[in-house]
Amino acid sequence: MRVARARLDEVLVDPSPDFDAALDRAGRGPLRAGLAEVLQVNLGRLCNMTCRHCHVDAGPDGHDQMMSAETVEACLALLDRGAFHTLDVTGGAPELHPRFTYLVEQAAARGRHVIDRCNLTVLLLPRCRDLPAWLASLGVEVVASLPHYRPRNTDAQRGEGTFKRSIEALRLLNAVGYGSGDPRRRLTLMSNPAGAFLGGAQYALEREWRASLEKEHGVRFDRLLVLNNMPIARFFDWLVASGNLEAYVRRLVTAFNPAAVQGLMCKTTLSVGWDGTLYDCDFNQMLELPLRTADGAGARVATVDPVALSGRRIVTARHCFGCTAGCGSSCGGATS
Ligand code: SF4
Ligand code: SF4
């Protein structure tokens, strides 16, 4: 059984800074949700990799934390009840879940935009060899995590040989039409810094990445998203072990950017945990901070009224500074 990870609030000695106070000072608080437009479903913690920065704490031993078939059905029913334009499927490696193809097919048949958050290397497993063509046939957007266009930076985070395998997987995606500008074959790359520093400017980096991947490897993609590493789960452990925790949190706090608040993903996303519990975002999910309805109760995917969740106060803590630092950071990349 896994042990719940420590939170920043439990570890940092200094009681300041407080995220809600920072929002108030900037005239942006309290943080409230709008109407949920994106349903993010975490199918569980099973993954073929064990990356150093993983905020999900996923790995090959994640079999005991996988979404049940009933909860997958409840997610589809929620998709029907709400005003969601997008189903965002994540994990672990969501492709390893036995109901992944069913969930994606059903959402696509309902006319929803579907995102597969893919670690790339999973596409090389024999059981996944037909996935690229299948994803392309349904118009699924592939959001692929690749820490860096330099092999050593990627391998340092994800393990020796990961970059080479990622390039191989990107070529498979390119071969079925991903990365060519076709909106029904959108290939998005997602990058995060290799250490205790912030992500760079997304648009400038995109040019740099495009030039390098095309020239060095003949690989094309449609857009680049840049994330800050969140001080939670495995990255949190690394910050503690390397003595970088206090300095990294200070960096995030100092870089607080009020303009990044409006685009925070928690304002328009509902996140479903593998056991059907609802959260304001994937990060809160990993910290076991469930969303709170107006009367202070939690919510389950099978019974929630998504419209009634609009206007609720979002559950925040100090890790939220990771989303408002610099250009901002979310599953959709920079927020300002
Ligand atoms: S970061 Fe992604 S690929 Fe790496 S272990 Fe976590 S879920 Fe798996
Ligand atoms: S971690 Fe980020 S997305 Fe989640 S509640 Fe905090 S600010 Fe919102």
Side-chain angles (χ1 to χ4, degrees):
M1 185 172 149
R2 283 161 199 270
V3 178
R5 295 293 176 130
R7 297 173 190 155
L8 280 177
D9 305 70
E10 295 161 357
V11 173
L12 295 177
V13 180
D14 184 354
S16 64
D18 178 86
F19 184 70
D20 288 340
L23 287 178
D24 286 343
R25 271 197 304 278
R28 306 282 176 144
L31 199 57
R32 292 197 183 277
L35 191 63
E37 297 169 357
V38 177
L39 184 64
Q40 188 171 64
V41 173
N42 190 313
L43 286 177
R45 285 183 166 141
L46 180 63
C47 188
N48 58 315
M49 302 185 72
T50 43
C51 307
R52 194 181 75 188
H53 67 270
C54 184
H55 75 267
V56 187
D57 220 1
D61 63 346
H63 287 277
D64 57 337
Q65 296 188 324
M66 301 276 276
M67 187 172 277
S68 69
E70 293 73 28
T71 305
V72 169
E73 288 300 336
C75 289
L76 288 167
L78 176 56
L79 205 57
D80 291 335
R81 288 201 300 282
F84 304 100
H85 55 64
T86 296
L87 176 74
D88 182 338
V89 190
T90 185
E95 302 87 351
L96 298 180
H97 191 282
R99 308 293 276 183
F100 170 75
T101 51
Y102 170 76
L103 176 63
V104 168
E105 248 163 17
Q106 289 292 316
R110 287 163 163 80
R112 302 303 198 281
H113 177 62
V114 182
I115 292 173
D116 170 26
R117 291 197 181 264
C118 178
N119 69 20
L120 289 174
T121 61
V122 75
L123 298 178
L124 303 185
L125 299 180
R127 63 184 277 190
C128 296
R129 68 172 180 274
D130 297 330
L131 268 187
W134 180 82
L135 291 166
S137 73
L138 290 176
V140 174
E141 177 178 359
V142 175
V143 176
S145 47
L146 185 70
H148 206 274
Y149 63 80
R150 288 196 190 100
R152 69 171 182 281
N153 297 36
T154 290
D155 287 359
Q157 270 189 39
R158 308 209 123 179
E160 202 58 38
T162 300
F163 183 81
K164 192 163 170 277
R165 287 185 287 140
S166 300
I167 292 295
E168 208 179 314
L170 286 169
R171 288 193 181 120
L172 294 177
L173 290 166
N174 282 174
V176 295
Y178 279 99
S180 58
D182 178 350
R184 282 192 53 82
R185 308 272 191 285
R186 183 140 87 155
L187 176 56
T188 299
L189 296 186
M190 193 160 236
S191 133
N192 57 286
F197 48 91
L198 301 186
Q202 194 163 282
Y203 297 108
L205 284 173
E206 184 175 292
R207 279 196 299 275
E208 197 178 315
W209 277 61
R210 204 178 289 291
S212 174
L213 287 178
E214 177 112 45
K215 184 165 162 243
E216 306 289 333
H217 307 284
V219 161
R220 299 177 311 278
F221 63 95
D222 293 305
R223 62 177 181 148
L224 176 75
L225 305 180
V226 178
L227 272 106
N228 292 330
N229 285 315
M230 293 299 280
I232 62 177
R234 219 169 272 157
F235 187 67
F236 174 89
D237 291 348
W238 178 81
L239 286 171
V240 173
S242 61
N244 277 301
L245 181 67
E246 302 275 345
Y248 186 63
V249 172
R250 260 201 311 281
R251 191 162 293 149
L252 296 180
V253 172
T254 307
F256 177 76
N257 176 7
V261 175
Q262 187 52 35
L264 289 174
M265 65 177 173
C266 47
K267 291 167 93 65
T268 52
T269 299
L270 264 189
S271 166
V272 189
W274 65 272
D275 64 352
T277 305
L278 292 186
Y279 299 84
D280 294 305
C281 73
D282 206 34
F283 305 126
N284 284 5
Q285 188 181 138
M286 299 314 138
L287 290 172
E288 298 174 6
L289 294 171
L291 70 70
R292 295 283 160 221
T293 55
D295 58 5
R300 307 272 311 162
V301 64
T303 50
V304 72
D305 171 4
V307 177
L309 290 178
S310 182
R312 74 183 184 280
R313 187 156 176 178
I314 292 166
V315 176
T316 55
R318 277 194 269 194
H319 65 286
C320 295
F321 280 111
C323 294
T324 52
C327 301
S329 178
S330 75
C331 288
T335 64
S336 68

